[in-house]
């Protein structure tokens, strides 16, 4: 393992989250990708770079700013030059990969996007000992495919010294940005690799990302390594959390918490409450007309409506609860407001995410040990097929706003080898199909 010289290294982080063309949907996670990766690479005592040597280009509008940043970094870097892009990857009519900018027109990609070959040429001209290209975009594997063409000028240039290309997906597959998550799937796995207890080499980072993405059923990352570039590390130690996460770590908290607050909506049994309120109102109106007259009726009606409105408001507020999935060193816990359920790792044989075709959802499934009691409070499988009582349905990932990559990483962090992929679950028990 080799640690680059931070003073002689340069990094350019490029990302586009918003686009002028309506054909290119926004990618909100790009902003967090750039910010958190910059923090990971420049953090005191753990990152290898000075902050001023890690340049961030967020939503560049044109080629000029990108070209100037790449040219400056290529000119200054003597040890490591790393270029990272996150956003949309587009193919032109010849199938060549282009990196989308804010002003990119999908109908004229060749003129308005940044050709991946152009970025690689900047890498080829750099005098840095090690060159690293990281692409988190659709079809990013085209960058690897181009570098493997025998006899190409590009390959000849880059083979002179150590180079490394890491992409989020293959040459033909889209990348993945889970809605509502802080990071895209690939960058989330990359940041997780940088936060491991011991620094990982580039090869180790690729393997870590591959394990997480493949286990979550996502496209597998690709790599191209030349000479010894795969032996270098990007951080000197685990990246420490910042902000609230740092405070939680200092307070001794040791858990991973997924949380989703549903939008304001009537309670699940709101129809029954409405019917009961209407029935109650009809009874009051009838009795008042018989015994009290119209004036008393108006007073009573106003009072009843005010009471029913208050009760309904309180019910709605009570139902706007947070759905939480908490993973720690003891086990799994789910909470729906005041209701909760818990299962201990000691009672779990394995746990994994099962993709259900019928319900088009990813379900977190626990397989209990043969002698373990069934924990109360969990879904008994009414909406998802489970073969017997040894299985516990924790819930769908969407219920708790779970990022599957972060979920697997959390489970493996606390209990090591208990996690199983969808394929592994089905191989263990075909009845889960």
């Amino acid at each position: 393992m080799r640690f680059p010289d931070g003073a002689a290294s340069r990094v350019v982080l490029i990302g586009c989250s918003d686009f002028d063309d309506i054909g290119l949907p926004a990618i909100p996670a790009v902003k967090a990708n750039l910010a958190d990766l910059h923090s990971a690479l420049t953090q005191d005592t753990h990152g290898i770079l000075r902050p001023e040597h890690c340049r961030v280009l967020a939503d560049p509008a044109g080629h000029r700013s990108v070209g100037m940043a790449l040219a400056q970094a290529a000119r200054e870097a003597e040890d490591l030059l790393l270029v990272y892009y996150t956003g949309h990857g587009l193919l032109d009519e010849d199938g060549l990969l282009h990196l989308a900018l804010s002003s990119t027109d999908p109908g004229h990609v060749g003129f308005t996007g940044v050709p991946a070959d152009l970025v690689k040429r900047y890498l080829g001209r750099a005098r840095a000992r090690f060159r690293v290209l990281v692409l988190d975009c659709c079809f990013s594997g085209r960058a690897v495919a181009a570098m493997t063409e025998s006899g190409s000028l590009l390959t000849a240039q880059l083979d002179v010294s150590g180079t490394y290309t890491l992409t989020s997906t293959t040459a033909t597959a889209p990348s993945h940005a889970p809605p509502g998550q802080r990071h895209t799937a690939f960058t989330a796995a990359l940041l997780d690799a940088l936060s491991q207890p011991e620094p990982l080499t580039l090869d180790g980072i690729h393997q870590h990302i591959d394990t997480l993405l493949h286990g979550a059923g996502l496209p597998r990352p690709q790599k191209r390594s030349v000479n010894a570039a795969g032996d270098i590390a990007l951080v000197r130690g685990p990246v420490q959390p910042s902000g609230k996460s740092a405070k939680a770590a200092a307070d001794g908290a040791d858990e991973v918490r997924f949380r989703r607050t549903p939008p304001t909506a009537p309670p699940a049994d709101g129809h029954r409450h409405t019917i009961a309120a209407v029935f109650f109102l009809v009874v009051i109106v009838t009795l008042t007309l018989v015994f009290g007259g119209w004036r008393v009726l108006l007073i009573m009606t106003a009072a009843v409506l005010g009471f029913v409105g208050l009760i309904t408001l309180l019910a709605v507020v009570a139902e706007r609860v947070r759905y939480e999935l908490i993973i720690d060193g003891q086990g799994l816990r789910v909470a729906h407001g005041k209701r909760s359920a818990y299962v201990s790792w000691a009672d779990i044989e394995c746990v994994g995410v099962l993709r259900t075709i019928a319900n088009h959802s990813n379900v977190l499934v626990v397989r209990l040990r043969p002698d373990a009691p069934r924990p109360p409070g969990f879904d008994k499988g009414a909406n998802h097929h489970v073969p017997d009582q040894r299985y516990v349905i924790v819930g769908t990932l969407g219920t708790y706003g779970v990022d599957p990559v972060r979920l697997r990483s959390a489970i493996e962090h606390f209990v090591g080898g208990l996690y199983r992929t969808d394929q592994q679950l089905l191989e263990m028990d075909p009845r889960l199909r």
Side-chain angles (χ1 to χ4, degrees):
M1 180 183 297
R2 182 185 183 281
F3 295 100
D5 179 359
S9 298
R10 297 293 185 272
V11 171
V12 180
L13 307 179
I14 308 168
C16 285
S17 59
D18 298 304
F19 303 89
D20 298 337
D21 194 287
I22 59 174
L24 295 176
I27 312 176
V30 163
K31 292 182 174 64
N33 283 357
L34 296 173
D36 292 347
L37 191 54
H38 179 274
S39 176
L41 296 174
T42 62
Q43 196 171 62
D44 290 344
T45 72
H46 298 280
I48 61 171
L49 293 171
R50 300 172 184 172
E52 62 270 21
H53 292 166
C54 183
R55 185 168 182 180
V56 177
L57 298 180
D59 291 310
H63 295 71
R64 179 180 174 81
S65 58
V66 175
M68 292 180 63
L70 293 178
Q72 181 180 354
R75 186 170 58 251
E76 296 178 353
E78 297 178 357
D79 196 15
L80 168 68
L81 172 61
L82 185 150
V83 178
Y84 163 92
Y85 172 83
T86 175
H88 284 297
L90 303 173
L91 304 179
D92 65 11
E93 295 178 351
D94 296 322
L96 299 178
L97 176 66
H98 290 69
L99 311 179
L101 303 178
S102 296
S103 58
T104 294
D105 179 359
H108 300 87
V109 176
F111 293 100
T112 59
V114 176
D117 283 343
L118 179 61
V119 177
K120 289 183 288 184
R121 283 201 295 273
Y122 275 104
L123 286 170
R125 296 170 187 155
R127 57 178 178 172
R129 294 182 61 191
F130 301 100
R131 303 93 174 268
V132 180
L133 176 61
V134 181
L135 299 179
D136 184 2
C137 61
C138 295
F139 313 115
S140 53
R142 292 293 173 100
V144 172
M147 291 177 66
T148 60
E149 295 175 0
S150 59
S152 71
L153 175 62
L154 176 63
T155 301
Q157 290 175 330
L158 295 181
D159 280 354
V160 172
S161 61
T163 62
Y164 201 97
T165 301
L166 180 61
T167 68
S168 62
T169 184
T170 64
T172 59
S175 194
H176 192 61
Q181 298 302 318
R182 178 172 176 81
H183 306 107
T184 57
F186 172 82
T187 298
L190 171 60
L191 289 167
D192 188 81
L194 297 178
S195 67
Q196 294 304 297
E198 296 294 333
L200 298 178
T201 64
L202 283 172
D203 282 338
I205 289 173
H206 170 262
Q207 183 177 3
H208 185 89
I209 296 173
D210 181 71
T211 299
L212 292 180
L213 295 186
H214 183 55
L218 300 176
R220 304 181 73 166
Q222 305 295 301
K223 73 169 183 176
R224 161 76 171 170
S225 178
V226 179
N227 298 336
D231 294 332
I232 67 173
L234 299 182
V235 293
R236 295 187 180 279
V239 177
Q240 298 299 311
S242 59
K244 294 181 179 179
S245 297
K247 184 179 186 301
D251 292 341
D254 191 14
E255 65 179 24
V256 176
R257 185 181 297 258
F258 300 93
R259 177 180 299 166
R260 184 182 72 88
T261 302
T264 303
D269 54 353
H271 293 299
R272 288 186 299 160
H273 291 164
T274 302
I275 294 173
V278 171
F279 176 77
F280 182 61
L281 183 60
V282 169
V283 172
I284 292 296
V285 169
T286 302
L287 292 177
T288 304
L289 281 175
V290 172
F291 298 105
W294 285 102
R295 181 173 296 181
V296 177
L297 171 63
L298 292 176
I299 296 174
M300 291 296 296
T301 300
V304 170
L305 289 177
F307 177 75
V308 171
L310 178 61
I311 294 299
T312 302
L313 177 62
L314 292 176
V316 170
V317 172
E319 285 294 322
R320 185 171 166 77
V321 298
R322 286 177 171 173
Y323 288 69
E324 292 185 310
L325 168 64
I326 301 99
I327 300 174
D328 58 25
Q330 304 302 314
L332 294 169
R333 180 164 62 89
V334 296
H336 297 177
K338 295 182 179 180
R339 295 179 298 170
S340 64
Y342 173 82
V343 58
S344 169
W345 295 125
D347 293 331
I348 296 176
E349 181 177 301
C350 64
V351 58
V353 175
L354 186 66
R355 293 190 293 276
T356 62
I357 298 176
N359 296 299
H360 304 287
S361 59
N362 292 325
V363 181
L364 184 58
V365 178
V366 167
R367 179 181 167 99
L368 300 172
R369 297 182 184 277
D371 56 344
R374 183 175 179 84
F378 284 101
D379 183 354
K380 293 183 173 58
N383 298 321
H384 308 284
H385 171 70
V386 290
D388 55 48
Q389 292 298 301
R390 286 188 62 187
Y391 290 94
V392 172
I393 299 295
V394 178
T396 61
L397 302 193
T399 300
Y400 307 101
V402 170
D403 176 355
V405 174
R406 186 166 170 244
L407 171 69
R408 174 169 183 170
S409 177
I411 294 174
E412 291 183 340
H413 170 73
F414 288 113
V415 287
L418 288 190
Y419 186 87
R420 298 291 183 271
T421 65
D422 176 85
Q423 182 177 355
Q424 289 171 332
L425 287 174
L426 294 177
E427 289 175 353
M428 288 176 56
D429 192 340
R431 297 178 301 166
L432 290 169
R433 295 183 185 276

